[in-house]
Amino acid sequence: MEGIDTQTVLQPSTGWLLLAVFGSIWIGLGIYWGRKAKNLEGFMLAGRNVGLALGAATAMATWVTSNTVMVAPSLAMRQGIWGMVAYSTACFGLLLFAPMALRIKNLIPKGYTSGDFIYKRYGRVAWGIFMTITSVYSLAWLVTMGVAGGKLIEVLTGIPYEYGMSVILFVCVAYTLFGGLFAVIGTDFIQSIIILIGVVAIGGVILSRLEMPEIYQSIETTQPALLDVFMPVALLSFFNLMFFGWGEVFHNNVWWSRAFAIRKKVVSKAFLLAGFCWFPIPIAAGFIALSAAPLGINIIDPDTTAPLVASYLLGGTGAVLVFIVVFCSLASSIDSLLAATADLLTEDVYKRLIRPQASDAELRRGASIIIIGIGLLTWAICWPKWDLLMVLYISGPLVASTIWPIVAGLFWQKSNPTASCLAMLLGSMIGLWAYFSIAWYVATLVSTVVSMLIVVIGTLIFPKPCDWRRIAGADHTQPDNG
Amino acid sequence: MTLFSENILSLIIFGALIWTALGVLILLGLLLKDYLNKQIW
């Protein structure tokens, strides 16, 4: 086995140059597109008229995180073919959100956030539980990406972790601040194209150096378990990852804000296309890991698999390619989370709880301050390398507990608010118990099933019809139930 | 232990790479279409 010293792959000066070039491009585009955001609706929801191409690309790019290009290879190394395919099932979250997005557009055409819907549909208690879950998840997601970005830059270029992490967060905060959702969606398109081309290019180079029989024989000889048709852990994680993905997409304001922003006529198609384009990426990224053994590369930290293989095959060019792909993956998700979480806090906390009479101009200023605040909080948590990856995994059962309350809330008029509160609470608690007492790969599954049973049985026994017209109303101070 | 065959592995890998490349073409094609119809934003 041949080890590679990744500290020497790129010079720090090259790393700084790449950060400066791409950082300037994203901030420049943020300022350029930000001129379109003339009011609050423009800043938060890009004018609610985004077309199919940008709509699909932003949904896809947001779902391609640093985890997709770094953890997918790691899963492939541990769980083989099933690990890659299991990760790909996260695309079902986007595919299933397609009809939900249309329903959201029809039900609340002037809506702003997922929290607003929960408040009106289920009342204040459910809203409180929901906001807690989504805040924990969103912060954990942001921090894991900040930490991953800092670490990757350090590994590839030798730039100290603190500097790299700070620059990535600064760039994302800056262009989100200048351009709002216009900038986020516009840059997401460019980033999604770069990510897709990068993944295909690395895969293509591997195939040009290695024959498929060579790869297969190497895996069959050294790690046959990776080709096992019946790998129980991988099969269980298949469902676990799938439900985790559903919970993440269904509840988070990142996706709801896109549903509000994309033109109604194409909103379903946009999410279907995003899921379609996203599906093969974890497999293509996982393939990079499977090729490590036949190439004779010794992988010590699975998260560095992609950079190691790419730099082995393409030298400095490969490292630059991975650097750009991961930078785009991070930026496309961090910007979306910053914008959507700021919307959520502005509308659901500042306007609802603090200043219900706030004007649009005041809310826009508030959103900007909140974007900076979230950026600073993330930066402060990332600084000591508090990697919240474990918190992100633990949030799996939390977000999964929201799947049924949201689906029932959108499509089932009689859905019971109390049952939905209990579903989120008990689903989360029992799911967490399963996480710590049984295994991580069953926790989300348990949470989903518990939540489903409570919502379905509770509503069948105690149906509580809601008035859809009140949910569609502009006044978001009055819940429909509770 | 029953293993996936080499053909299945090839199908999955080549399929994923071609599928990913197709995604690029579709997104660029749709952008062009939206641009011509003045429906980008």
Side-chain angles (χ1 to χ4, degrees), chain B residues 7-38:
Chain B
N7 288 337
I8 295 286
L9 182 67
S10 300
L11 182 71
I12 291 173
I13 301 303
F14 280 107
L17 290 173
I18 293 168
W19 194 327
T20 308
L22 188 64
V24 179
L25 298 176
I26 290 173
L27 288 176
L28 289 173
L30 283 173
L31 184 71
L32 180 65
K33 188 182 167 196
D34 281 351
Y35 174 75
L36 293 174
N37 294 328
K38 295 185 170 58

Short mmCIF file of all heavy atoms in Angstrom, two decimals, chain B residues 7-38:
data_model
loop_
_atom_site.label_atom_id
_atom_site.label_comp_id
_atom_site.label_asym_id
_atom_site.label_seq_id
_atom_site.Cartn_x
_atom_site.Cartn_y
_atom_site.Cartn_z
N ASN B 7 -20.64 -7.66 -13.42
CA ASN B 7 -21.54 -6.95 -14.34
C ASN B 7 -22.44 -5.95 -13.60
O ASN B 7 -22.70 -4.85 -14.07
CB ASN B 7 -22.42 -7.93 -15.12
CG ASN B 7 -21.61 -8.68 -16.15
OD1 ASN B 7 -20.56 -8.20 -16.58
ND2 ASN B 7 -22.07 -9.86 -16.55
N ILE B 8 -22.92 -6.40 -12.44
CA ILE B 8 -23.79 -5.50 -11.65
C ILE B 8 -22.99 -4.28 -11.19
O ILE B 8 -23.46 -3.14 -11.29
CB ILE B 8 -24.36 -6.24 -10.42
CG1 ILE B 8 -25.29 -7.37 -10.85
CG2 ILE B 8 -25.08 -5.28 -9.49
CD1 ILE B 8 -26.63 -6.92 -11.38
N LEU B 9 -21.77 -4.53 -10.71
CA LEU B 9 -20.93 -3.41 -10.26
C LEU B 9 -20.69 -2.44 -11.42
O LEU B 9 -20.80 -1.22 -11.26
CB LEU B 9 -19.60 -3.93 -9.71
CG LEU B 9 -18.65 -2.85 -9.17
CD1 LEU B 9 -19.22 -2.18 -7.92
CD2 LEU B 9 -17.27 -3.42 -8.86
N SER B 10 -20.37 -2.99 -12.58
CA SER B 10 -20.12 -2.14 -13.76
C SER B 10 -21.36 -1.33 -14.11
O SER B 10 -21.28 -0.13 -14.39
CB SER B 10 -19.73 -3.00 -14.97
OG SER B 10 -18.58 -3.72 -14.69
N LEU B 11 -22.49 -2.02 -14.07
CA LEU B 11 -23.75 -1.35 -14.42
C LEU B 11 -24.01 -0.18 -13.46
O LEU B 11 -24.36 0.93 -13.90
CB LEU B 11 -24.90 -2.36 -14.34
CG LEU B 11 -26.28 -1.84 -14.73
CD1 LEU B 11 -26.35 -1.59 -16.23
CD2 LEU B 11 -27.37 -2.82 -14.31
N ILE B 12 -23.80 -0.43 -12.17
CA ILE B 12 -24.06 0.62 -11.17
C ILE B 12 -23.12 1.80 -11.38
O ILE B 12 -23.54 2.96 -11.40
CB ILE B 12 -23.91 0.05 -9.74
CG1 ILE B 12 -25.04 -0.94 -9.46
CG2 ILE B 12 -23.93 1.16 -8.70
CD1 ILE B 12 -24.88 -1.69 -8.15
N ILE B 13 -21.82 1.50 -11.56
CA ILE B 13 -20.83 2.58 -11.65
C ILE B 13 -20.98 3.37 -12.96
O ILE B 13 -21.09 4.60 -12.95
CB ILE B 13 -19.39 2.03 -11.53
CG1 ILE B 13 -19.21 1.29 -10.20
CG2 ILE B 13 -18.38 3.16 -11.67
CD1 ILE B 13 -19.50 2.10 -8.97
N PHE B 14 -21.00 2.64 -14.07
CA PHE B 14 -21.13 3.34 -15.36
C PHE B 14 -22.47 4.07 -15.43
O PHE B 14 -22.57 5.20 -15.92
CB PHE B 14 -21.01 2.36 -16.54
CG PHE B 14 -19.59 2.01 -16.86
CD1 PHE B 14 -19.07 0.76 -16.54
CD2 PHE B 14 -18.74 2.92 -17.47
CE1 PHE B 14 -17.75 0.43 -16.82
CE2 PHE B 14 -17.42 2.61 -17.77
CZ PHE B 14 -16.92 1.35 -17.44
N GLY B 15 -23.52 3.40 -14.92
CA GLY B 15 -24.84 4.02 -14.92
C GLY B 15 -24.83 5.33 -14.14
O GLY B 15 -25.37 6.35 -14.59
N ALA B 16 -24.19 5.31 -12.96
CA ALA B 16 -24.16 6.52 -12.12
C ALA B 16 -23.40 7.65 -12.80
O ALA B 16 -23.84 8.81 -12.76
CB ALA B 16 -23.53 6.19 -10.77
N LEU B 17 -22.28 7.31 -13.44
CA LEU B 17 -21.48 8.37 -14.09
C LEU B 17 -22.22 8.96 -15.29
O LEU B 17 -22.24 10.18 -15.49
CB LEU B 17 -20.11 7.81 -14.51
CG LEU B 17 -19.17 7.49 -13.33
CD1 LEU B 17 -17.92 6.78 -13.83
CD2 LEU B 17 -18.79 8.75 -12.58
N ILE B 18 -22.84 8.09 -16.09
CA ILE B 18 -23.58 8.59 -17.26
C ILE B 18 -24.79 9.41 -16.79
O ILE B 18 -25.10 10.47 -17.33
CB ILE B 18 -24.02 7.40 -18.16
CG1 ILE B 18 -22.78 6.75 -18.77
CG2 ILE B 18 -24.99 7.85 -19.24
CD1 ILE B 18 -23.04 5.41 -19.44
N TRP B 19 -25.44 8.91 -15.77
CA TRP B 19 -26.62 9.59 -15.20
C TRP B 19 -26.23 10.99 -14.70
O TRP B 19 -26.93 11.98 -14.92
CB TRP B 19 -27.15 8.74 -14.05
CG TRP B 19 -28.53 9.07 -13.54
CD1 TRP B 19 -29.11 10.30 -13.49
CD2 TRP B 19 -29.47 8.14 -12.99
NE1 TRP B 19 -30.36 10.19 -12.94
CE2 TRP B 19 -30.61 8.89 -12.62
CE3 TRP B 19 -29.47 6.78 -12.76
CZ2 TRP B 19 -31.73 8.30 -12.04
CZ3 TRP B 19 -30.58 6.19 -12.17
CH2 TRP B 19 -31.70 6.95 -11.82
N THR B 20 -25.09 11.06 -14.01
CA THR B 20 -24.63 12.35 -13.49
C THR B 20 -24.34 13.32 -14.64
O THR B 20 -24.71 14.50 -14.59
CB THR B 20 -23.35 12.16 -12.64
OG1 THR B 20 -23.60 11.15 -11.66
CG2 THR B 20 -22.97 13.44 -11.92
N ALA B 21 -23.67 12.79 -15.67
CA ALA B 21 -23.36 13.64 -16.84
C ALA B 21 -24.65 14.11 -17.52
O ALA B 21 -24.76 15.27 -17.96
CB ALA B 21 -22.51 12.86 -17.83
N LEU B 22 -25.64 13.22 -17.56
CA LEU B 22 -26.93 13.57 -18.15
C LEU B 22 -27.57 14.73 -17.38
O LEU B 22 -28.19 15.62 -17.96
CB LEU B 22 -27.84 12.33 -18.13
CG LEU B 22 -29.17 12.42 -18.87
CD1 LEU B 22 -28.94 12.60 -20.37
CD2 LEU B 22 -30.00 11.16 -18.63
N GLY B 23 -27.39 14.70 -16.06
CA GLY B 23 -27.92 15.77 -15.21
C GLY B 23 -27.38 17.14 -15.62
O GLY B 23 -28.12 18.12 -15.66
N VAL B 24 -26.08 17.18 -15.94
CA VAL B 24 -25.47 18.45 -16.37
C VAL B 24 -26.14 18.94 -17.65
O VAL B 24 -26.53 20.12 -17.77
CB VAL B 24 -23.95 18.27 -16.64
CG1 VAL B 24 -23.34 19.58 -17.11
CG2 VAL B 24 -23.25 17.78 -15.40
N LEU B 25 -26.28 18.02 -18.61
CA LEU B 25 -26.87 18.41 -19.90
C LEU B 25 -28.31 18.89 -19.72
O LEU B 25 -28.73 19.88 -20.33
CB LEU B 25 -26.83 17.22 -20.87
CG LEU B 25 -25.42 16.71 -21.24
CD1 LEU B 25 -25.51 15.49 -22.13
CD2 LEU B 25 -24.63 17.82 -21.92
N ILE B 26 -29.07 18.18 -18.88
CA ILE B 26 -30.48 18.56 -18.66
C ILE B 26 -30.56 19.96 -18.04
O ILE B 26 -31.34 20.81 -18.50
CB ILE B 26 -31.20 17.52 -17.77
CG1 ILE B 26 -31.38 16.22 -18.53
CG2 ILE B 26 -32.55 18.05 -17.30
CD1 ILE B 26 -31.92 15.08 -17.69
N LEU B 27 -29.74 20.20 -17.01
CA LEU B 27 -29.81 21.50 -16.34
C LEU B 27 -29.40 22.64 -17.28
O LEU B 27 -30.05 23.69 -17.31
CB LEU B 27 -28.92 21.50 -15.09
CG LEU B 27 -29.43 20.68 -13.90
CD1 LEU B 27 -28.42 20.69 -12.77
CD2 LEU B 27 -30.77 21.21 -13.39
N LEU B 28 -28.34 22.41 -18.05
CA LEU B 28 -27.92 23.46 -18.99
C LEU B 28 -28.97 23.68 -20.08
O LEU B 28 -29.26 24.81 -20.47
CB LEU B 28 -26.57 23.09 -19.61
CG LEU B 28 -25.36 23.17 -18.66
CD1 LEU B 28 -24.10 22.63 -19.33
CD2 LEU B 28 -25.13 24.60 -18.18
N GLY B 29 -29.55 22.57 -20.57
CA GLY B 29 -30.59 22.68 -21.59
C GLY B 29 -31.80 23.45 -21.08
O GLY B 29 -32.37 24.30 -21.76
N LEU B 30 -32.19 23.15 -19.83
CA LEU B 30 -33.35 23.84 -19.24
C LEU B 30 -33.06 25.32 -19.02
O LEU B 30 -33.94 26.17 -19.19
CB LEU B 30 -33.74 23.19 -17.92
CG LEU B 30 -34.50 21.87 -18.03
CD1 LEU B 30 -34.67 21.24 -16.66
CD2 LEU B 30 -35.86 22.09 -18.68
N LEU B 31 -31.81 25.61 -18.67
CA LEU B 31 -31.45 27.03 -18.47
C LEU B 31 -31.57 27.79 -19.79
O LEU B 31 -32.10 28.90 -19.83
CB LEU B 31 -30.02 27.14 -17.92
CG LEU B 31 -29.59 28.57 -17.59
CD1 LEU B 31 -30.31 29.08 -16.36
CD2 LEU B 31 -28.08 28.67 -17.36
N LEU B 32 -31.09 27.14 -20.85
CA LEU B 32 -31.20 27.77 -22.17
C LEU B 32 -32.67 27.99 -22.54
O LEU B 32 -33.05 29.06 -23.02
CB LEU B 32 -30.50 26.89 -23.22
CG LEU B 32 -30.51 27.41 -24.65
CD1 LEU B 32 -29.70 28.70 -24.75
CD2 LEU B 32 -29.94 26.37 -25.61
N LYS B 33 -33.47 26.96 -22.27
CA LYS B 33 -34.91 27.06 -22.59
C LYS B 33 -35.57 28.19 -21.78
O LYS B 33 -36.32 29.00 -22.33
CB LYS B 33 -35.59 25.73 -22.27
CG LYS B 33 -37.03 25.63 -22.73
CD LYS B 33 -37.64 24.31 -22.32
CE LYS B 33 -39.15 24.35 -22.52
NZ LYS B 33 -39.82 23.27 -21.81
N ASP B 34 -35.25 28.24 -20.49
CA ASP B 34 -35.81 29.30 -19.64
C ASP B 34 -35.34 30.67 -20.11
O ASP B 34 -36.09 31.65 -20.08
CB ASP B 34 -35.41 29.10 -18.17
CG ASP B 34 -36.26 28.04 -17.48
OD1 ASP B 34 -37.26 27.61 -18.09
OD2 ASP B 34 -35.94 27.65 -16.35
N TYR B 35 -34.08 30.72 -20.54
CA TYR B 35 -33.53 32.00 -21.01
C TYR B 35 -34.26 32.47 -22.26
O TYR B 35 -34.65 33.64 -22.38
CB TYR B 35 -32.03 31.83 -21.29
CG TYR B 35 -31.39 33.05 -21.92
CD1 TYR B 35 -31.12 34.19 -21.14
CD2 TYR B 35 -31.08 33.08 -23.27
CE1 TYR B 35 -30.55 35.31 -21.71
CE2 TYR B 35 -30.50 34.20 -23.84
CZ TYR B 35 -30.24 35.31 -23.06
OH TYR B 35 -29.68 36.43 -23.63
N LEU B 36 -34.46 31.54 -23.20
CA LEU B 36 -35.14 31.91 -24.45
C LEU B 36 -36.58 32.32 -24.20
O LEU B 36 -37.13 33.17 -24.89
CB LEU B 36 -35.08 30.73 -25.43
CG LEU B 36 -33.67 30.38 -25.94
CD1 LEU B 36 -33.70 29.10 -26.79
CD2 LEU B 36 -33.07 31.53 -26.74
N ASN B 37 -37.20 31.69 -23.19
CA ASN B 37 -38.60 32.03 -22.86
C ASN B 37 -38.71 33.15 -21.83
O ASN B 37 -39.79 33.43 -21.32
CB ASN B 37 -39.34 30.79 -22.33
CG ASN B 37 -39.49 29.74 -23.40
OD1 ASN B 37 -39.62 30.06 -24.58
ND2 ASN B 37 -39.45 28.48 -23.01
N LYS B 38 -37.55 33.73 -21.48
CA LYS B 38 -37.49 34.78 -20.45
C LYS B 38 -38.15 34.34 -19.15
O LYS B 38 -38.95 35.05 -18.53
CB LYS B 38 -38.17 36.06 -20.97
CG LYS B 38 -37.44 36.69 -22.14
CD LYS B 38 -38.08 38.01 -22.51
CE LYS B 38 -37.28 38.81 -23.50
NZ LYS B 38 -36.99 38.16 -24.76
#
